[in-house]
């Protein structure tokens, strides 16, 4: 799947039947600080994603 | 084929939100209803409601969501809404958020008033900070609070609602604990008839829910980050708490409630020092010269010294 990070850069990641939360955790990020959209629609972080998905991560809060 | 997407625990529509503590899911409609219900229950504690409610409206996601919630509750909250925006004058940052604020007010059909630091203090925040050694967030906080009070007074607003959410409350509680300064829990609660009363209708709504509310209402816009934000202690506390919340869901809510609980339990035991009237500007303050005048005069002194050298 294609994963687009909050700063705009992207990466191809094998979904392997995992939830997006598991993938975010593996990347060393905190899923509590992010919202997730798939094809422009918000999805909960316990959604199981597919390799054909384009997933965008949205940072909830900024800075200080 | 689309991966398995959880559904709303109430209506089975596609879910947008997972409550990490109860593991319940909500669709966009039920998330909105849940948020609106908590905001309404907080607002009606203020009954009888004033003729006008001022919404402290920066144009960021929290105040945008708050304005949207209140606009959606107009049948239940009969007060007239006025969005109050302070333009601090932060180059490369505030232009976009002010533009977004104007656009949101137009879309929600809410009256909008803007006051700028330049009009009120004769200088933008950028200009003020050039001759200051104080932290930007401290300077901005003091001056912005006064600007909002001035704008509220000009508009006849006696009740201001702010977009502070549950996460903000939890962070503040922990920051107050770190500084071991119990007086901060009661900061701003000194009685004076000049300041508009302030309440935080999102106190029991998480930042995650607030952000989602703005997104599913099609009012969310990724805006630039304040260039002065990086230096704040709050950012560190936020990251710490977010990690803790991930491992122990519900901690953030409990911490936010703890602040309220401490305030209620100690209210009768804490003697608020009556505010004094600033001999420079006439506004209430904690000394014979208020923080705003101290800060602005300090800058003038520095500027004069700079000119002499």
């Amino acid at each position: 799947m294609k994963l687009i990070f909050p700063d705009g850069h992207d990466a191809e990641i094998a979904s392997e039947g995992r939830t997006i939360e598991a993938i975010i955790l593996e990347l060393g990020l905190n899923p509590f600080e992010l919202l997730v959209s798939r094809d422009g629609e918000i999805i909960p972080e316990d959604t199981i994603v597919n390799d054909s998905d384009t997933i965008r991560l949205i940072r909830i809060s900024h800075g200080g | 084929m689309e991966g398995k997407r959880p559904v709303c625990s109430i209506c089975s529509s596609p879910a947008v939100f997972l409550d990490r503590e109860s593991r319940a899911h909500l669709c966009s409609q039920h998330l909105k209803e849940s948020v609106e219900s908590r905001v309404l229950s907080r607002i009606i504690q203020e009954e009888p409601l004033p003729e006008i409610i001022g919404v402290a409206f920066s144009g960021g996601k929290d105040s945008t969501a708050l304005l949207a919630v209140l606009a959606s509750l107009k049948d239940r909250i009969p007060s007239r809404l006025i969005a109050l925006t302070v333009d601090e004058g932060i180059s490369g940052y505030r232009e976009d958020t002010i533009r977004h604020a104007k656009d949101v007010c137009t879309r929600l059909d809410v009256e909008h008033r803007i006051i700028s630091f330049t009009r009120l203090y004769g200088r933008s925040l950028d200009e003020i900070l050039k001759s200051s050694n104080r932290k930007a967030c401290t300077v901005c906080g003091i001056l912005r609070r006064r600007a909002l009070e001035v704008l509220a007074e000009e508009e006849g607003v006696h009740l201001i609602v702010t977009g502070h959410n549950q996460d903000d409350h939890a962070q503040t509680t922990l920051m107050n604990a770190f500084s071991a300064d119990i007086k901060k829990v009661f900061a701003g609660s000194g009685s004076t008839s000049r300041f508009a009363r302030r309440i935080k209708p999102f106190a029991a709504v998480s930042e995650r829910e607030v952000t989602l509310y703005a997104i599913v209402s099609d009012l969310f816009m990724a805006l630039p980050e304040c260039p002065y934000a990086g230096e704040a202690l709050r950012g560190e506390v936020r990251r710490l708490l977010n990690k803790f919340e991930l491992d122990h869901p519900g901690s953030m809510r409990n911490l936010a409630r703890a602040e309220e609980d401490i305030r209620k339990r100690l209210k009768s035991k804490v003697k608020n020092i009556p505010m004094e009237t600033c001999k420079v500007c006439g506004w209430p303050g904690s000394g014979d010269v208020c923080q705003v005048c101290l800060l602005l005069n300090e800058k003038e002194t520095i500027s004069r010294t700079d000119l002499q050298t």
Side-chain angles (χ1 to χ4, degrees), chain A residues 44-64:
Chain A
E45 60 271 29
D46 57 343
T47 302
I48 295 169
V49 287
N50 287 324
D51 282 337
S52 57
D53 288 339
T54 296
I55 301 290
R56 181 180 291 276
L57 303 180
I58 302 161
R59 186 163 295 286
I60 291 177
S61 56
H62 291 277

Side-chain angles (χ1 to χ4, degrees), chain B residues 94-109:
Chain B
R94 213 59 182 106
E95 298 89 343
D96 282 350
T97 49
I98 296 278
R99 199 177 302 117
H100 177 63
K102 287 178 181 172
D103 178 53
V104 168
C105 287
T106 302
R107 287 173 62 186
L108 296 174
D109 195 23

Side-chain angles (χ1 to χ4, degrees), chain B residues 46-284:
Chain B
E46 297 300 310
E47 285 183 332
L49 292 171
E51 184 188 335
I52 307 170
I53 294 178
V55 183
F57 183 51
S58 68
K61 65 176 173 28
D62 298 322
S63 58
T64 294
L66 180 59
L67 198 63
V69 170
L70 294 173
S72 78
L73 291 170
K74 63 183 177 188
D75 292 339
R76 310 284 299 277
I77 301 174
S79 306
R80 185 176 134 220
L81 291 180
I82 302 182
L84 307 171
T85 297
V86 177
D87 180 358
E88 302 89 352
I90 305 173
S91 181
Y93 164 69
R94 213 59 182 106
E95 298 89 343
D96 282 350
T97 49
I98 296 278
R99 199 177 302 117
H100 177 63
K102 287 178 181 172
D103 178 53
V104 168
C105 287
T106 302
R107 287 173 62 186
L108 296 174
D109 195 23
V110 174
E111 294 175 61
H112 191 203
R113 305 284 183 271
I114 302 174
I115 190 168
S116 70
F117 276 16
T118 306
R119 168 165 81 96
L120 194 57
Y121 306 122
R123 286 169 289 169
S124 67
L125 181 67
D126 287 340
E127 289 168 329
I128 292 167
L129 289 173
K130 277 179 190 166
S131 55
S132 173
N133 292 323
R134 293 211 211 186
K135 286 184 177 176
C137 294
T138 305
V139 173
C140 185
I142 292 168
L143 299 180
R144 195 176 55 216
R145 184 179 178 89
R146 169 65 58 81
L148 194 59
E149 289 293 346
V150 170
L151 187 56
E153 192 171 78
E154 286 177 356
E155 296 298 327
V157 170
H158 301 294
L159 178 67
I160 296 175
V161 294
T162 67
H164 295 94
N165 57 52
Q166 185 171 269
D167 299 35
D168 296 325
H169 271 266
Q171 291 153 17
T172 303
T173 305
L174 199 57
M175 288 164 74
N176 288 342
F178 284 156
S179 67
D181 188 353
I182 196 75
K183 290 196 298 297
K184 284 186 179 171
V185 175
F186 298 91
S189 56
S191 59
T192 164
S193 58
R194 190 158 184 188
F195 291 144
R197 180 166 162 65
R198 292 182 184 224
I199 62 167
K200 301 167 183 173
F202 278 157
V205 184
S206 70
E207 185 170 25
R208 196 174 185 81
E209 292 170 292
V210 168
T211 309
L212 273 173
Y213 191 99
I215 290 175
V216 299
S217 302
D218 198 23
L219 292 168
F220 179 82
M221 181 176 273
L223 292 164
E225 186 172 349
C226 176
Y228 299 118
E231 65 187 56
L233 169 68
R234 185 172 291 273
E236 279 183 61
V237 171
R238 177 189 291 132
R239 284 187 289 279
L240 182 75
L241 276 178
N242 286 346
K243 173 72 174 67
F244 203 77
E245 176 69 23
L246 181 70
D247 297 336
H248 308 281
S251 303
M252 196 88 83
R253 182 203 59 220
N254 294 341
L255 198 52
R257 283 183 184 170
E259 189 199 36
E260 277 302 306
D261 199 30
I262 291 167
R263 190 178 288 125
K264 279 179 190 163
R265 284 168 188 258
L266 294 182
K267 197 172 182 180
S268 61
K269 295 177 181 167
V270 172
K271 200 182 241 182
N272 278 321
I273 300 163
M275 289 215 168
E276 296 180 44
T277 300
C278 174
K279 64 184 183 187
V280 179
C281 69
W283 276 82

